């Protein structure tokens, strides 16, 4: 029988297998590394893209905040203007009411009653003055109540001053000082 030496052939075959294994392992390692690099690059790109989107959103939020603050300032100015218009309308109405009040007061006052002070607080009117006699004051209060703007006159004080130099020239009666208040009717 012939003896064959298969050792060199096995050795060559083992080297080939080892080379194929190293090549396969290298290819797999290159594939894994390239996959990791691609994934890292993709994740970096996504991160950069998301940061750009976040920056754009922050810019838009800042722009919207500025718009909202501008709208709030405009609303405040609008409310101030509305308040001013309402105040002007109130003053206009009060001006007309004051004119009517003075006209009716002038119609109601008798010739022997003299007013020294007229104070108006909301709907209450306080009238101070002097008169020659209490009948004239009574007539004045009745005239005031019959006017359309006034209601419920109430006499607060009526006195004769201690100073005797204040006298009525025609009747030689002492002048009497008075204070009364009256409510103004709502004209709404």
């Amino acid at each position: 029988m012939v003896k064959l030496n298969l050792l060199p052939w096995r050795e060559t075959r083992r080297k080939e297998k080892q080379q194929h294994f190293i090549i396969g392992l290298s290819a797999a390692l290159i594939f894994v590394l390239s996959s990791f690099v691609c994934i890292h690059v993709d994740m970096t790109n996504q991160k950069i893209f998301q940061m750009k989107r976040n920056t754009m959103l922050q810019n838009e939020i800042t722009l919207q905040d500025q718009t909202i603050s501008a709208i709030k300032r405009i609303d405040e100015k609008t409310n101030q203007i509305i308040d001013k218009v309402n105040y002007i309308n109130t003053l206009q109405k009060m001006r007309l009411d004051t004119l009517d009040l003075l006209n009716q007061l002038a119609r109601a006052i008798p010739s022997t009653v003299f007013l020294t002070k007229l104070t108006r607080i909301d709907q209450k009117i306080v009238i101070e003055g002097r008169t020659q006699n209490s009948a004239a004051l009574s007539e004045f209060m009745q005239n005031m109540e019959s006017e359309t703007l006034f209601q419920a006159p109430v006499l607060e004080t009526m006195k004769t001053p201690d100073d005797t130099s204040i006298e009525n020239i025609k009747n030689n009666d002492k002048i009497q000082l008075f204070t009364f208040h009256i409510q103004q009717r709502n004209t709404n």
Side-chain angles (χ1 to χ4, degrees):
M1 188 151 137
V2 183
K3 284 197 168 191
L4 291 174
N5 188 1
L6 295 175
L7 200 52
W9 178 79
R10 283 184 198 160
E11 192 67 31
T12 314
R13 175 119 170 115
R14 192 175 33 202
K15 282 185 181 179
E16 284 178 9
K17 280 184 179 182
Q18 206 173 23
Q19 280 182 344
H20 285 299
F21 177 73
I22 290 174
I23 289 172
L25 188 63
S26 298
L29 186 62
I30 290 172
F31 177 74
V32 168
L33 286 176
S34 64
S35 296
F36 279 134
V37 168
C38 288
I39 290 172
H40 177 70
V41 167
D42 185 50
M43 288 179 73
T44 304
N45 287 340
Q46 286 181 1
K47 185 177 176 182
I48 291 171
F49 179 70
Q50 187 63 41
M51 289 173 70
K52 286 181 182 178
R53 286 178 59 191
N54 289 348
T55 304
M56 182 191 70
L57 288 174
Q58 287 295 335
N59 292 340
E60 285 297 318
I61 288 171
T62 304
L63 183 65
Q64 293 302 322
D65 286 343
Q66 290 172 351
T67 304
I68 288 170
S69 65
I71 289 171
K72 284 182 181 178
R73 284 193 306 272
I74 290 172
D75 283 345
E76 289 172 1
K77 287 181 182 179
T78 302
N79 289 337
Q80 289 174 351
I81 289 172
I82 288 172
D83 290 343
K84 287 178 183 179
V85 167
N86 290 339
Y87 184 70
I88 289 171
N89 287 338
T90 302
L91 288 176
Q92 182 72 13
K93 185 179 179 316
M94 285 178 63
R95 182 180 71 147
L96 295 174
D97 287 349
T98 303
L99 287 175
D100 289 341
L101 180 134
L102 291 175
N103 282 337
Q104 289 190 16
L105 184 66
R107 280 196 300 259
I109 192 165
S111 61
T112 58
V113 174
F114 304 97
L115 301 183
T116 57
K117 187 174 180 183
L118 180 70
T119 307
R120 178 176 163 184
I121 302 169
D122 292 328
Q123 298 297 90
K124 181 180 179 181
I125 301 166
V126 178
I127 299 173
E128 295 179 16
R130 57 184 188 206
T131 183
Q132 292 176 352
N133 56 41
S134 58
L137 180 60
S138 178
E139 177 187 350
F140 178 46
M141 291 176 70
Q142 288 174 354
N143 289 346
M144 291 290 286
E145 192 169 18
S146 67
E147 291 291 338
T148 58
L149 279 182
F150 307 111
Q151 64 184 4
V154 176
L155 182 63
E156 291 178 5
T157 62
M158 184 166 184
K159 63 181 178 179
T160 304
D162 294 334
D163 187 6
T164 56
S165 64
I166 304 175
E167 294 185 6
N168 188 335
I169 298 173
K170 293 180 182 175
N171 297 336
N172 288 333
D173 290 337
K174 288 208 174 208
I175 294 179
Q176 296 175 330
L177 301 177
F178 66 87
T179 302
F180 75 91
H181 69 268
I182 191 164
Q183 293 291 325
Q184 184 178 357
R185 288 191 174 114
N186 289 332
T187 57
N188 296 341

